[in-house]
Amino acid sequence: MNSHNIFGQLWANSLVYFSLVHMFVIVSANVEELYDTKSRTSDLLWTKYPESGGWEEVTGLSLERDSIRYHQVCNAVTNPSNWIRSPYIESKGAKRAYIDVEFSMVKCEELQTGCSETFNLFYYESDTDQSSSTFPPWRENPYVKIDTIAAGERFSNIEFSREEGMNRKTWTLGPLTRRGFYLAAEDKGACMSLMRVRVYSYYCPNVTNSLAKFPRTVAGNDVASLVEVPGKCVQYANSTALEAPRYYCNSNGEWKVRTGVCHCKPGYQANSLLTSCEVCGQGRYKSSHGNEECVQCPAHSISAGVSSTLSSTGKKAASHFCVCEPAYYRTTNEDIHSPCTKPPSEPTSVTFHVNQTFVTINWAPPLDDGGRNDVYYNVSCDLCERRSKTGDAVHNCFPCGSGVTYNVPGHQRIKGTSLKISDLKPFSNYRFKIFAMNGVSASSETAPERALVFAVTPEAEPSAIIDPRAVSTFDRNFTLSWSKPLLPNGMITKYQLVCDDVTATNGKFAASIKSDKAPLLLETENQTITVASLKPGHIYIARVRAATSTGYGPYSELVTIRTTRSSSDVNRSQSPIGLIIGIGVGACVILLAMLAFCYYRKQNISRERMSNESSSEEKAPFTGSKEDNLIVRLPSIGGPRIYVEYPDPHKAVRDFHCEIDISDLSIEETIGRGEFGEVCRGQYHCGEVDVCVAVKRLKQGADAKDQLNFLKEASTMAQFSHPNVVQLKGVVTKSRPQMIVTEYMENGSLDVFLKNHTDTLSMVQLLQMLKGIASGMRYLSSMKYVHRDLAARNILVNSDLVCKVSDFGLSRTLENDPHATYTTQGGKIAIRWTAPECIRFRKFTSNSDVWSYGIVMWEVMSYGEKPYWDMSNQEVIESIDEGYRLPAPYDCPVCLHQLMVECWAFDAKHRPTMNDIYQRLDALLETPSNLSDRNLEQPTTPTTETAIPISIPA
Ligand SMILES: *[C@@H]1O[C@H](CO)[C@@H](O)[C@H](O)[C@H]1NC(C)=O
Ligand SMILES: *[C@@H]1O[C@H](CO)[C@@H](O)[C@H](O)[C@H]1NC(C)=O
Ligand SMILES: *[C@@H]1O[C@H](CO)[C@@H](O)[C@H](O)[C@H]1NC(C)=O
Ligand SMILES: *[C@@H]1O[C@H](CO)[C@@H](O)[C@H](O)[C@H]1NC(C)=O
């Protein structure tokens, strides 16, 4: 017991040291610990044999004051056999186990008793923990001896330093074949401590290497053995059977010699450690299996599926290709590595040139080629309807079809930047679209960008008239009609008829008519013409041709006409009849003049009475109107209601106090030029407001007579105050130049206004205008003022389309009217607007103004057409005398034409008064249904009984 205590003390001390010098060299993750006494702090539970007197388990202290359990034996019995056996140690699959044993032994010399200096180590394999105190039997067989262990040089001795007494030995067990085993030690009489028994094995840990996963693998049972371990590719990687990944685990639990390879799938790339495959980042892609890196998406593409997969799984999508950004495309020939491109922008700098029936279009390449170099152009041609004479024809366009010729074959795929298109129709509107396209245009859903060209081909000569025919033949006249040429090639401006008297020229017609020297050459705008003043019973030949602004088309075939023979042949002399008519007319005129005189006197008396009683009729439109305060010092209500001609207009200016301070006037721009000087638009500062005014300025160097006449107009106007008579605002006489200031009429003169608004004004608007003019004229006639030059050009239109009578100059009016002509009696007259009695006798009355009013009506209804068209003044005078009257304009209500015809009563007394006219127009406006009966004939065809066709003398 005593010695036991000594040794106990001894081993405990040495143990402290062992812990200090860390005896266990192999401290590695690749070691599988199977058993270790050191880790146990309570009973080790080894089985002892014999139960007592042999091995005993004791406790020592480690440096950390942890208790440690170990076995010791030291009984000096002769020939003893003391066994201890470990608990069942599971081998955990190890084919080879390592056993570290640490022990110390006391040299026998140190002891007085007989002693041994070795002990035996055994093991026993078993699949189950089946041991007991008697099984397996305590002897070498069934136990398998591992070794007989000697202390070697190292013995423990109290004198020796402690570390030198400790032995450590390692054995290997194997190959192990069972699930586990027991270790046993037999003491043959030594004095020793079995300080620590540790059993372990080696394994290769699971590892991910080169994108393959290898499982934890127990090392082989042989020192030299290498365990081949097949790997498994990581997620998103695979490999081929030939290149399957393999790794070898050596007996030390070290992985050696890796073979095979794994590749990341498309859309994934290996991380830097080659331990996983990671999704390509945004904007990157990888198209193949392999371990190359993801690369940047080509230009204008984005990694595929990013958005969709992100939204559904919340993970980044693996892009094995990149899709084009919206509005970018690839052609079918381009692969996923190609950049995406887009259609080009429109062609630039488009110019075109029309020459007769061909157009040359030039353009420059688009500013943006969409990232491609295969730009081409597709030119389409459309023929469009003409909307109007000046319309820009974006209206009812249809493809040109095969009628046109392109100088480039395949005009739908032009590489160059110019194209000539020929065989266009004259006088047509064409629309060309130049589409810029490239390889991806077909993929794009949006229409290709294009430039537009609108080309108008010029007029050309019309084609021949194919069907001239005589529609009526009389003794002295015949009428030819024809249809429009099949190809007008423009606006037909006129038709020309040449006619020759075959009978008179004795058959030499061919030469004369073909040399364009035909004695009879007539022109018309219509498709019918009457040739008059012919000889009865003669044979005539005629042919017609049409003209556009470009020139004449070819003549038609000749038409042969024979005039009938008639009885009127016999007494052709018209002079007696003419004389009789002349005398009759003269008598009538005298009679009428007398009657008219009486009538006028009566009228005057009643009118004066009326105006004294009430002037409401003419003043009514002004009451409360905002213009009221703009009227400059008009004659007061009680002033003259009958127009007074002032011999000295300066007196009128004084009388009417209409002088304007020049500082209240600012001139803005010149809008026209009159006979006395220019007409300007200006602002008149009147009271608190600025009024837009027209200012007539007397030109520099005007003589006294001019000045007088200039002011006469003002003195006339100053006496008028009516919404349909241009209003005088005042005059400037105190400074030079002298000026007449009137209200400003935005829409200018009625004739121009009508021409500019052809077919755009409604019937009611036209009637309103006519009624306005009638109202103004009624007022003037009530003032006993005779206008003498009433015509559309002397009516002004304001922005509200209100028409106002203007131009009150007296002598000068007609002298400067381009339409006026000198009559045989001297003086100038606008023949076409003037009643016959004025032309003959210079007898101007309100009734002759009514005639002019009828002409104005006709001008309005025909949108500014020139009365009597191209007839000469002489022809007009003669045809009026013969009873011809202007026919109803196209679309003119019959009742309006009826009113015109009444205005044109040859006898002035039979014409309606301005008041009558006003009332009738008013009534018509009340019941517009009366307007529905329209004239739909061509304008020159007479429609009333009083009219006869135009008759043009040869
Ligand atoms: C790996 O993936 C590719 C592409 O899907 C396939 O062709 C190949 O057969 C796969 N290999 C293995 C071993 O699954
Ligand atoms: C129009 O074309 C003709 C030939 O067809 C040519 O002689 C002429 O010079 C051209 N005119 C213009 C203005 O280009
Ligand atoms: C070219 O234009 C024509 C006419 O517009 C059209 O029919 C054709 O499809 C276009 N060609 C291409 C390639 O777009
Ligand atoms: C043609 O002459 C006939 C008979 O002389 C005459 O009745 C008719 O009005 C004339 N026609 C024209 C349009 O002058």
Side-chain angles (χ1 to χ4, degrees):
M1 278 304 277
N2 201 19
S3 66
H4 172 250
N5 285 342
I6 293 167
F7 282 115
Q9 182 68 40
L10 165 71
W11 294 122
N13 287 344
S14 53
L15 183 72
V16 169
Y17 176 72
F18 294 146
S19 302
L20 216 60
V21 295
H22 60 87
M23 290 211 48
F24 308 119
V25 178
I26 302 167
V27 180
S28 151
N30 301 357
V31 171
E32 170 90 294
E33 297 290 345
L34 299 178
Y35 183 79
D36 192 350
T37 55
K38 189 190 167 198
S39 61
R40 299 193 64 93
T41 52
S42 58
D43 285 354
L44 294 174
L45 299 177
W46 287 46
T47 310
K48 289 179 250 176
Y49 176 79
E51 295 245 22
S52 61
W55 291 92
E56 58 180 348
E57 191 177 324
V58 296
T59 298
L61 271 183
S62 75
L63 192 66
E64 294 86 10
R65 297 186 174 274
D66 291 331
S67 61
I68 181 172
R69 305 284 289 179
Y70 62 95
H71 290 96
Q72 66 178 29
V73 66
C74 193
N75 61 344
V77 179
T78 14
N79 227 7
S81 175
N82 298 316
W83 287 74
I84 46 172
R85 186 185 64 216
S86 73
Y88 186 64
I89 299 171
E90 284 185 44
S91 54
K92 297 185 182 170
K95 301 280 174 291
R96 184 180 168 87
Y98 294 78
I99 304 168
D100 276 1
V101 175
E102 289 157 26
F103 64 95
S104 70
M105 194 170 275
V106 178
K107 213 174 169 92
C108 282
E109 298 163 17
E110 301 282 331
L111 304 167
Q112 274 69 47
T113 54
C115 131
S116 152
E117 289 181 356
T118 62
F119 71 98
N120 292 326
L121 201 58
F122 299 94
Y123 75 102
Y124 177 85
E125 278 196 276
S126 168
D127 280 327
T128 56
D129 185 0
Q130 53 174 351
S131 66
S132 66
S133 58
T134 55
F135 182 84
W138 300 101
R139 59 169 189 264
E140 176 163 358
N141 192 5
Y143 282 98
V144 180
K145 186 189 245 176
I146 299 170
D147 206 353
T148 297
I149 301 154
E153 295 302 306
R154 297 180 167 208
F155 286 95
S156 277
N157 192 313
I158 296 166
E159 280 95 352
F160 287 166
S161 52
R162 284 170 292 194
E163 65 268 31
E164 286 187 342
M166 183 59 65
N167 291 279
R168 184 175 62 79
K169 289 211 168 178
T170 300
W171 293 268
T172 55
L173 285 191
L176 296 174
T177 54
R178 299 286 170 89
R179 197 170 72 87
F181 55 91
Y182 300 93
L183 281 181
E186 182 192 19
D187 167 50
K188 290 285 216 177
C191 189
M192 63 174 294
S193 295
L194 199 52
M195 298 300 297
R196 180 181 180 188
V197 176
R198 173 175 172 246
V199 183
Y200 56 93
S201 64
Y202 285 114
Y203 70 93
C204 292
N206 67 22
V207 68
T208 303
N209 188 325
S210 292
L211 302 178
K213 282 184 172 170
F214 298 92
R216 170 196 163 100
T217 301
V218 175
N221 58 6
D222 194 316
V223 179
S225 76
L226 287 174
V227 179
E228 181 185 310
V229 180
K232 204 169 162 241
C233 290
V234 297
Q235 195 182 14
Y236 308 126
N238 76 4
S239 74
T240 60
L242 271 177
E243 291 184 295
R246 270 160 224 290
Y247 223 171
Y248 294 88
C249 184
N250 72 8
S251 54
N252 287 335
E254 293 164 328
W255 291 109
K256 296 287 183 194
V257 195
R258 197 186 45 75
T259 62
V261 64
C262 290
H263 293 298
C264 288
K265 288 182 180 174
Y268 294 89
Q269 67 181 2
N271 66 354
S272 57
L273 297 173
L274 296 180
T275 54
S276 68
C277 290
E278 293 174 351
V279 168
C280 291
Q282 183 129 19
R284 300 173 73 81
Y285 78 110
K286 199 187 100 191
S287 62
S288 59
H289 279 264
N291 290 336
E292 65 273 13
E293 284 195 355
C294 300
V295 294
Q296 199 73 35
C297 285
H300 297 297
S301 65
I302 46 179
S303 32
V306 166
S307 50
S308 61
T309 316
L310 258 183
S311 59
S312 59
T313 66
K315 282 189 195 159
K316 279 206 282 181
S319 316
H320 43 99
F321 61 95
C322 296
V323 292
C324 291
E325 286 173 7
Y328 283 86
Y329 310 91
R330 292 185 178 110
T331 66
T332 47
N333 293 336
E334 291 170 338
D335 62 17
I336 54 166
H337 306 297
S338 305
C340 297
T341 53
K342 63 174 180 178
S345 61
E346 62 182 20
T348 53
S349 314
V350 181
T351 58
F352 69 100
H353 178 73
V354 184
N355 183 346
Q356 301 304 317
T357 57
F358 64 85
V359 60
T360 314
I361 308 176
N362 288 289
W363 61 89
L367 293 179
D368 179 2
D369 62 7
R372 307 184 63 87
N373 55 10
D374 56 355
V375 174
Y376 64 91
Y377 308 92
N378 180 5
V379 178
S380 76
C381 169
D382 289 307
L383 179 58
C384 303
E385 263 176 39
R386 297 180 77 89
R387 198 208 299 270
S388 67
K389 289 172 203 172
T390 54
D392 48 4
V394 277
H395 183 61
N396 283 1
C397 294
F398 298 99
C400 297
S402 55
V404 298
T405 318
Y406 302 85
N407 70 334
V408 181
H411 58 97
Q412 294 176 357
R413 212 176 177 92
I414 302 171
K415 286 284 177 197
T417 56
S418 90
L419 183 66
K420 179 175 165 185
I421 303 133
S422 322
D423 298 333
L424 303 178
K425 292 185 180 141
F427 194 55
S428 301
N429 289 2
Y430 282 92
R431 180 180 67 187
F432 299 99
K433 292 180 190 164
I434 302 119
F435 294 96
M437 312 191 70
N438 62 18
V440 295
S441 290
S443 316
S444 167
E445 283 124 27
T446 52
E449 295 289 334
R450 83 278 191 281
L452 271 183
V453 165
F454 289 102
V456 181
T457 49
E459 294 192 359
E461 293 84 354
S463 65
I465 289 160
I466 52 169
D467 61 347
R469 61 200 179 273
V471 291
S472 68
T473 311
F474 293 100
D475 51 352
R476 292 176 193 284
N477 65 51
F478 65 81
T479 301
L480 275 190
S481 286
W482 55 87
S483 316
K484 274 195 171 161
L486 283 180
L487 303 173
N489 291 346
M491 300 286 292
I492 300 289
T493 55
K494 60 185 170 189
Y495 296 95
Q496 196 181 55
L497 173 138
V498 290
C499 179
D500 204 357
D501 186 338
V502 180
T503 312
T505 55
N506 212 5
K508 292 188 185 134
F509 66 92
S512 74
I513 205 166
K514 281 179 184 158
S515 61
D516 282 342
K517 283 179 190 152
L520 208 47
L521 191 146
L522 304 178
E523 285 182 350
T524 174
E525 285 175 35
N526 309 301
Q527 285 151 241
T528 182
I529 195 165
T530 298
V531 187
S533 303
L534 303 176
K535 297 198 174 78
H538 277 219
I539 293 171
Y540 292 88
I541 53 163
R543 53 183 190 170
V544 286
R545 58 181 181 175
T548 60
S549 65
T550 322
Y552 289 105
Y555 274 116
S556 67
E557 295 292 308
L558 286 170
V559 189
T560 310
I561 309 105
R562 175 190 285 273
T563 49
T564 55
R565 296 176 186 285
S566 76
S567 53
S568 70
D569 242 355
V570 185
N571 43 9
R572 276 200 69 211
S573 159
Q574 290 176 341
S575 42
I577 297 168
L579 193 66
I580 292 161
I581 291 173
I583 293 166
V585 167
C588 285
V589 166
I590 294 164
L591 198 67
L592 286 179
M594 289 169 69
L595 282 174
F597 181 72
C598 299
Y599 177 74
Y600 273 146
R601 286 204 48 171
K602 221 173 123 193
Q603 283 284 94
N604 281 353
I605 292 161
S606 65
R607 215 179 281 255
E608 263 159 45
R609 194 182 299 141
M610 251 177 67
S611 63
N612 288 343
E613 282 166 350
S614 138
S615 56
S616 60
E617 195 210 324
E618 304 302 338
K619 287 302 290 179
F622 280 92
T623 325
S625 118
K626 77 176 165 84
E627 295 228 329
D628 235 5
N629 58 342
L630 307 183
I631 298 163
V632 185
R633 300 170 208 106
L634 284 166
S636 58
I637 288 173
R641 299 304 297 158
I642 307 256
Y643 156 76
V644 180
E645 187 167 351
Y646 278 80
D648 176 8
H650 290 98
K651 179 175 182 315
V653 169
R654 284 193 302 274
D655 281 2
F656 300 137
H657 311 289
C658 54
E659 182 73 28
I660 280 178
D661 192 334
I662 186 74
S663 63
D664 287 336
L665 209 55
S666 59
I667 307 286
E668 284 171 350
E669 64 170 328
T670 305
I671 53 174
R673 220 161 277 283
E675 123 241 26
F676 289 120
E678 57 190 7
V679 184
C680 306
R681 193 188 63 212
Q683 294 289 334
Y684 171 40
H685 189 70
C686 171
E688 290 302 300
V689 267
D690 275 348
V691 198
C692 199
V693 291
V695 182
K696 293 189 192 182
R697 303 207 289 181
L698 184 60
K699 65 182 171 226
Q700 295 282 311
D703 59 19
K705 184 166 164 274
D706 282 346
Q707 286 186 29
L708 208 61
N709 284 336
F710 182 70
L711 287 181
K712 265 190 178 172
E713 178 168 18
S715 70
T716 306
M717 286 178 82
Q719 302 179 49
F720 302 144
S721 169
H722 188 271
N724 293 106
V725 176
V726 170
Q727 177 72 53
L728 180 76
K729 296 288 182 195
V731 294
V732 175
T733 57
K734 299 206 167 121
S735 61
R736 292 292 176 270
Q738 294 188 7
M739 303 181 205
I740 296 179
V741 182
T742 64
E743 65 182 307
Y744 180 66
M745 301 292 282
E746 293 82 352
N747 273 318
S749 68
L750 178 60
D751 58 335
V752 176
F753 177 79
L754 287 168
K755 281 174 194 150
N756 291 342
H757 291 82
T758 302
D759 295 336
T760 61
L761 298 166
S762 71
M763 184 60 68
V764 169
Q765 280 176 312
L766 294 174
L767 266 182
Q768 291 281 17
M769 298 171 101
L770 285 176
K771 183 182 151 190
I773 302 166
S775 172
M777 287 309 293
R778 178 175 71 159
Y779 170 76
L780 291 177
S781 73
S782 79
M783 295 279 283
K784 298 281 178 285
Y785 178 78
V786 180
H787 191 287
R788 296 180 178 221
D789 195 18
L790 179 59
R793 63 184 174 278
N794 289 333
I795 306 288
L796 297 178
V797 187
N798 75 3
S799 55
D800 297 329
L801 302 194
V802 174
C803 289
K804 306 199 182 194
V805 182
S806 93
D807 241 298
F808 301 101
L810 291 172
S811 56
R812 62 108 190 152
T813 309
L814 295 166
E815 253 142 42
N816 292 279
D817 189 327
H819 296 275
T821 186
Y822 286 99
T823 61
T824 44
Q825 288 92 345
K828 260 183 146 185
I829 283 181
I831 297 292
R832 285 157 209 271
W833 281 265
T834 308
E837 72 273 13
C838 307
I839 297 169
R840 291 196 182 181
F841 315 118
R842 298 191 61 74
K843 184 173 165 31
F844 290 92
T845 61
S846 288
N847 290 0
S848 61
D849 277 352
V850 166
W851 178 289
S852 308
Y853 181 83
I855 303 290
V856 170
M857 281 180 81
W858 191 89
E859 288 184 277
V860 169
M861 298 315 293
S862 61
Y863 288 98
E865 185 61 85
K866 181 182 180 188
Y868 310 99
W869 305 279
D870 291 334
M871 288 169 75
S872 72
N873 281 336
Q874 193 54 41
E875 284 163 355
V876 172
I877 293 171
E878 283 170 13
S879 43
I880 292 298
D881 284 352
E882 285 165 13
Y884 172 76
R885 296 294 182 268
L886 281 167
Y890 181 72
D891 208 25
C892 174
V894 170
C895 56
L896 279 184
H897 185 242
Q898 182 59 42
L899 185 54
M900 296 178 202
V901 170
E902 287 175 40
C903 292
W904 302 324
F906 196 88
D907 187 340
K909 290 196 302 298
H910 294 160
R911 295 172 200 153
T913 66
M914 278 322 302
N915 190 44
D916 295 338
I917 294 169
Y918 178 86
Q919 305 289 356
R920 278 173 63 179
L921 292 174
D922 197 39
L924 276 176
L925 276 167
E926 292 291 315
T927 50
S929 57
N930 291 343
L931 299 168
S932 55
D933 186 9
R934 306 271 178 94
N935 167 55
L936 298 174
E937 301 277 322
Q938 282 304 315
T940 52
T941 310
T943 55
T944 68
E945 277 157 16
T946 55
I948 60 166
I950 303 174
S951 166
I952 302 166

